[in-house]
Amino acid sequence: MTTARLLACLLALVSLSTVAGSAADNTPAPAPSSAPQPPTKHFLIVLRLVPRLHDEKSWTDADKSAVGQHFKRLQAAVATGQVVLAGRTEEPLAKTFGLVVFSAADEAAAREFMLGDPCVAQGVMTGTLHPYGLALRAK
């Protein structure tokens, strides 16, 4: 399987796990807390492959492993409700980019989440963080 197909499959699985998780989740919502909760802030990470990985032949096993760890981390964050959406464009490696919309307490926590991504930490992808106003959301 080519690296581009591997990435596309991994990100498609994120989408499927989100749909399957929401369909299978029949647990009742917890009772509302009387303590005021801080407003949820949303952020957007734009992920891009580093230039050396624009050619599939340049991918090492370590690069592929980082993508697998990245995917597992996103799956876990979807399961907890932190990640709202994750995916990538379906373009050649030199043009593609990924998006992650997620919640965090503040910009420092959001930056920590981004920098803790295995692909960012291991130099497979670069990430740019943006505050994000989530206006509409599917239920």
Side-chain angles (χ1 to χ4, degrees), residues 58-121:
S58 300
W59 283 73
T60 66
D61 289 341
D63 298 327
K64 293 173 188 173
S65 176
V67 171
Q69 294 167 28
H70 158 83
F71 181 72
K72 287 179 184 176
R73 183 173 187 258
L74 288 174
Q75 279 183 310
V78 165
T80 65
Q82 182 180 16
V83 167
V84 175
L85 169 117
R88 69 169 275 233
T89 62
E90 294 182 342
E91 300 173 293
L93 294 177
K95 291 181 72 175
T96 194
F97 61 93
L99 298 176
V100 179
V101 176
F102 67 105
S103 59
D106 54 31
E107 187 172 343
R111 187 162 305 284
E112 185 177 322
F113 180 78
M114 178 185 72
L115 294 175
D117 183 290
C119 282
V120 174

Side-chain angles (χ1 to χ4, degrees), residues 17-82:
S17 67
T18 303
V19 171
S22 62
D25 186 11
N26 294 325
T27 57
S33 169
S34 59
Q37 298 294 319
T40 300
K41 295 180 181 179
H42 289 96
F43 296 87
L44 167 73
I45 301 171
V46 178
L47 295 165
R48 295 186 186 276
L49 289 171
V50 295
R52 75 173 178 82
L53 297 177
H54 292 175
D55 180 358
E56 285 184 44
K57 296 176 196 111
S58 300
W59 283 73
T60 66
D61 289 341
D63 298 327
K64 293 173 188 173
S65 176
V67 171
Q69 294 167 28
H70 158 83
F71 181 72
K72 287 179 184 176
R73 183 173 187 258
L74 288 174
Q75 279 183 310
V78 165
T80 65
Q82 182 180 16

